[in-house]
mmCIF file of all heavy atoms in Angstrom:
data_model
loop_
_atom_site.group_PDB
_atom_site.id
_atom_site.type_symbol
_atom_site.label_atom_id
_atom_site.label_comp_id
_atom_site.label_asym_id
_atom_site.label_seq_id
_atom_site.Cartn_x
_atom_site.Cartn_y
_atom_site.Cartn_z
ATOM 1 N N ALA Z 317 18.817 -20.803 -0.036
ATOM 2 C CA ALA Z 317 19.878 -19.900 0.394
ATOM 3 C C ALA Z 317 19.305 -18.703 1.153
ATOM 4 O O ALA Z 317 19.881 -18.266 2.156
ATOM 5 C CB ALA Z 317 20.682 -19.421 -0.812
ATOM 6 N N VAL Z 318 18.194 -18.178 0.686
ATOM 7 C CA VAL Z 318 17.539 -17.067 1.401
ATOM 8 C C VAL Z 318 17.169 -17.509 2.810
ATOM 9 O O VAL Z 318 17.440 -16.812 3.793
ATOM 10 C CB VAL Z 318 16.286 -16.584 0.637
ATOM 11 C CG1 VAL Z 318 15.482 -15.601 1.495
ATOM 12 C CG2 VAL Z 318 16.679 -15.923 -0.679
ATOM 13 N N ALA Z 319 16.536 -18.683 2.913
ATOM 14 C CA ALA Z 319 16.100 -19.189 4.221
ATOM 15 C C ALA Z 319 17.282 -19.419 5.160
ATOM 16 O O ALA Z 319 17.197 -19.154 6.364
ATOM 17 C CB ALA Z 319 15.318 -20.484 4.037
ATOM 18 N N LEU Z 320 18.401 -19.893 4.621
ATOM 19 C CA LEU Z 320 19.572 -20.156 5.457
ATOM 20 C C LEU Z 320 20.339 -18.884 5.804
ATOM 21 O O LEU Z 320 21.005 -18.817 6.846
ATOM 22 C CB LEU Z 320 20.516 -21.125 4.733
ATOM 23 C CG LEU Z 320 19.991 -22.548 4.506
ATOM 24 C CD1 LEU Z 320 20.977 -23.342 3.669
ATOM 25 C CD2 LEU Z 320 19.724 -23.249 5.837
ATOM 26 N N THR Z 321 20.245 -17.885 4.947
ATOM 27 C CA THR Z 321 20.990 -16.644 5.167
ATOM 28 C C THR Z 321 20.302 -15.734 6.167
ATOM 29 O O THR Z 321 20.979 -15.006 6.911
ATOM 30 C CB THR Z 321 21.193 -15.899 3.834
ATOM 31 O OG1 THR Z 321 21.831 -16.767 2.893
ATOM 32 C CG2 THR Z 321 22.052 -14.661 4.018
ATOM 33 N N VAL Z 322 18.985 -15.762 6.219
ATOM 34 C CA VAL Z 322 18.247 -14.862 7.115
ATOM 35 C C VAL Z 322 18.712 -14.978 8.566
ATOM 36 O O VAL Z 322 18.996 -13.957 9.205
ATOM 37 C CB VAL Z 322 16.724 -15.091 6.998
ATOM 38 C CG1 VAL Z 322 15.979 -14.412 8.143
ATOM 39 C CG2 VAL Z 322 16.212 -14.547 5.670
ATOM 40 N N PRO Z 323 18.810 -16.180 9.153
ATOM 41 C CA PRO Z 323 19.268 -16.242 10.549
ATOM 42 C C PRO Z 323 20.709 -15.759 10.730
ATOM 43 O O PRO Z 323 21.031 -15.159 11.763
ATOM 44 C CB PRO Z 323 19.131 -17.731 10.916
ATOM 45 C CG PRO Z 323 19.005 -18.447 9.625
ATOM 46 C CD PRO Z 323 18.377 -17.509 8.673
ATOM 47 N N LEU Z 324 21.567 -15.992 9.757
ATOM 48 C CA LEU Z 324 22.935 -15.487 9.843
ATOM 49 C C LEU Z 324 22.943 -13.959 9.802
ATOM 50 O O LEU Z 324 23.672 -13.307 10.565
ATOM 51 C CB LEU Z 324 23.779 -16.034 8.695
ATOM 52 C CG LEU Z 324 24.075 -17.537 8.723
ATOM 53 C CD1 LEU Z 324 24.763 -17.962 7.429
ATOM 54 C CD2 LEU Z 324 24.937 -17.894 9.933
ATOM 55 N N ALA Z 325 22.137 -13.393 8.907
ATOM 56 C CA ALA Z 325 22.056 -11.936 8.785
ATOM 57 C C ALA Z 325 21.461 -11.323 10.049
ATOM 58 O O ALA Z 325 21.912 -10.271 10.523
ATOM 59 C CB ALA Z 325 21.214 -11.565 7.569
ATOM 60 N N TYR Z 326 20.459 -11.984 10.618
ATOM 61 C CA TYR Z 326 19.841 -11.472 11.841
ATOM 62 C C TYR Z 326 20.851 -11.522 12.991
ATOM 63 O O TYR Z 326 20.948 -10.565 13.783
ATOM 64 C CB TYR Z 326 18.603 -12.283 12.206
ATOM 65 C CG TYR Z 326 17.976 -11.832 13.511
ATOM 66 C CD1 TYR Z 326 17.172 -10.693 13.564
ATOM 67 C CD2 TYR Z 326 18.216 -12.523 14.697
ATOM 68 C CE1 TYR Z 326 16.619 -10.261 14.749
ATOM 69 C CE2 TYR Z 326 17.668 -12.098 15.897
ATOM 70 C CZ TYR Z 326 16.866 -10.970 15.909
ATOM 71 O OH TYR Z 326 16.326 -10.545 17.109
ATOM 72 N N ALA Z 327 21.585 -12.611 13.093
ATOM 73 C CA ALA Z 327 22.589 -12.722 14.159
ATOM 74 C C ALA Z 327 23.668 -11.656 13.994
ATOM 75 O O ALA Z 327 24.118 -11.055 14.976
ATOM 76 C CB ALA Z 327 23.206 -14.116 14.151
ATOM 77 N N SER Z 328 24.070 -11.412 12.751
ATOM 78 C CA SER Z 328 25.069 -10.376 12.494
ATOM 79 C C SER Z 328 24.554 -9.015 12.940
ATOM 80 O O SER Z 328 25.278 -8.236 13.570
ATOM 81 C CB SER Z 328 25.424 -10.350 11.003
ATOM 82 O OG SER Z 328 26.327 -9.309 10.713
ATOM 83 N N TRP Z 329 23.296 -8.727 12.615
ATOM 84 C CA TRP Z 329 22.702 -7.437 12.992
ATOM 85 C C TRP Z 329 22.518 -7.330 14.502
ATOM 86 O O TRP Z 329 22.923 -6.350 15.118
ATOM 87 C CB TRP Z 329 21.364 -7.256 12.291
ATOM 88 C CG TRP Z 329 20.536 -6.139 12.852
ATOM 89 C CD1 TRP Z 329 19.452 -6.242 13.672
ATOM 90 C CD2 TRP Z 329 20.759 -4.732 12.671
ATOM 91 N NE1 TRP Z 329 18.973 -5.002 14.000
ATOM 92 C CE2 TRP Z 329 19.757 -4.049 13.401
ATOM 93 C CE3 TRP Z 329 21.693 -3.986 11.965
ATOM 94 C CZ2 TRP Z 329 19.669 -2.666 13.442
ATOM 95 C CZ3 TRP Z 329 21.615 -2.598 12.001
ATOM 96 C CH2 TRP Z 329 20.621 -1.963 12.732
ATOM 97 N N ARG Z 330 21.922 -8.348 15.080
ATOM 98 C CA ARG Z 330 21.510 -8.276 16.489
ATOM 99 C C ARG Z 330 22.694 -8.319 17.450
ATOM 100 O O ARG Z 330 22.698 -7.624 18.472
ATOM 101 C CB ARG Z 330 20.555 -9.435 16.794
ATOM 102 C CG ARG Z 330 19.960 -9.416 18.186
ATOM 103 C CD ARG Z 330 19.004 -8.257 18.364
ATOM 104 N NE ARG Z 330 18.423 -8.236 19.699
ATOM 105 C CZ ARG Z 330 19.028 -7.723 20.769
ATOM 106 N NH1 ARG Z 330 20.230 -7.199 20.657
ATOM 107 N NH2 ARG Z 330 18.424 -7.730 21.931
ATOM 108 N N PHE Z 331 23.707 -9.116 17.116
ATOM 109 C CA PHE Z 331 24.786 -9.348 18.083
ATOM 110 C C PHE Z 331 26.114 -8.685 17.709
ATOM 111 O O PHE Z 331 27.049 -8.706 18.513
ATOM 112 C CB PHE Z 331 24.995 -10.851 18.268
ATOM 113 C CG PHE Z 331 23.759 -11.561 18.747
ATOM 114 C CD1 PHE Z 331 23.104 -12.442 17.919
ATOM 115 C CD2 PHE Z 331 23.251 -11.301 20.011
ATOM 116 C CE1 PHE Z 331 21.941 -13.096 18.351
ATOM 117 C CE2 PHE Z 331 22.090 -11.943 20.455
ATOM 118 C CZ PHE Z 331 21.436 -12.831 19.617
ATOM 119 N N LEU Z 332 26.201 -8.103 16.522
ATOM 120 C CA LEU Z 332 27.450 -7.458 16.123
ATOM 121 C C LEU Z 332 27.212 -6.036 15.603
ATOM 122 O O LEU Z 332 27.708 -5.071 16.189
ATOM 123 C CB LEU Z 332 28.151 -8.293 15.044
ATOM 124 C CG LEU Z 332 29.508 -7.782 14.569
ATOM 125 C CD1 LEU Z 332 30.515 -7.769 15.719
ATOM 126 C CD2 LEU Z 332 30.032 -8.637 13.410
ATOM 127 N N GLU Z 333 26.443 -5.910 14.537
ATOM 128 C CA GLU Z 333 26.286 -4.600 13.906
ATOM 129 C C GLU Z 333 25.582 -3.591 14.813
ATOM 130 O O GLU Z 333 26.082 -2.467 15.016
ATOM 131 C CB GLU Z 333 25.510 -4.741 12.594
ATOM 132 C CG GLU Z 333 26.192 -5.621 11.557
ATOM 133 C CD GLU Z 333 25.260 -5.975 10.416
ATOM 134 O OE1 GLU Z 333 24.648 -5.058 9.842
ATOM 135 O OE2 GLU Z 333 25.128 -7.180 10.102
ATOM 136 N N LEU Z 334 24.440 -3.964 15.364
ATOM 137 C CA LEU Z 334 23.671 -3.038 16.194
ATOM 138 C C LEU Z 334 24.415 -2.646 17.469
ATOM 139 O O LEU Z 334 24.509 -1.445 17.787
ATOM 140 C CB LEU Z 334 22.304 -3.642 16.523
ATOM 141 C CG LEU Z 334 21.358 -2.753 17.356
ATOM 142 C CD1 LEU Z 334 21.086 -1.434 16.648
ATOM 143 C CD2 LEU Z 334 20.066 -3.505 17.646
ATOM 144 N N PRO Z 335 24.971 -3.590 18.251
ATOM 145 C CA PRO Z 335 25.714 -3.187 19.449
ATOM 146 C C PRO Z 335 26.898 -2.271 19.139
ATOM 147 O O PRO Z 335 27.151 -1.308 19.877
ATOM 148 C CB PRO Z 335 26.187 -4.527 20.035
ATOM 149 C CG PRO Z 335 25.217 -5.533 19.525
ATOM 150 C CD PRO Z 335 24.855 -5.065 18.159
ATOM 151 N N LEU Z 336 27.608 -2.542 18.057
ATOM 152 C CA LEU Z 336 28.750 -1.702 17.713
ATOM 153 C C LEU Z 336 28.316 -0.319 17.252
ATOM 154 O O LEU Z 336 28.980 0.681 17.540
ATOM 155 C CB LEU Z 336 29.599 -2.381 16.638
ATOM 156 C CG LEU Z 336 30.432 -3.568 17.108
ATOM 157 C CD1 LEU Z 336 31.166 -4.204 15.935
ATOM 158 C CD2 LEU Z 336 31.423 -3.149 18.187
ATOM 159 N N GLN Z 337 27.191 -0.243 16.555
ATOM 160 C CA GLN Z 337 26.676 1.069 16.155
ATOM 161 C C GLN Z 337 26.311 1.896 17.374
ATOM 162 O O GLN Z 337 26.607 3.095 17.441
ATOM 163 C CB GLN Z 337 25.451 0.897 15.257
ATOM 164 C CG GLN Z 337 25.783 0.485 13.834
ATOM 165 C CD GLN Z 337 24.547 0.467 12.960
ATOM 166 O OE1 GLN Z 337 23.847 1.468 12.816
ATOM 167 N NE2 GLN Z 337 24.264 -0.689 12.377
ATOM 168 N N ARG Z 338 25.684 1.251 18.343
ATOM 169 C CA ARG Z 338 25.319 1.979 19.566
ATOM 170 C C ARG Z 338 26.567 2.430 20.309
ATOM 171 O O ARG Z 338 26.632 3.561 20.795
ATOM 172 C CB ARG Z 338 24.460 1.077 20.447
ATOM 173 C CG ARG Z 338 23.038 0.869 19.906
ATOM 174 C CD ARG Z 338 22.295 -0.175 20.713
ATOM 175 N NE ARG Z 338 20.899 -0.264 20.302
ATOM 176 C CZ ARG Z 338 20.068 -1.229 20.680
ATOM 177 N NH1 ARG Z 338 20.503 -2.203 21.509
ATOM 178 N NH2 ARG Z 338 18.809 -1.237 20.265
#
Side-chain angles (χ1 to χ4, degrees):
V318 170
L320 294 175
T321 305
V322 167
L324 292 173
Y326 177 79
S328 177
W329 166 257
R330 185 68 180 82
F331 301 112
L332 183 62
E333 299 167 51
L334 182 59
L336 287 177
Q337 284 186 58
R338 287 172 173 169

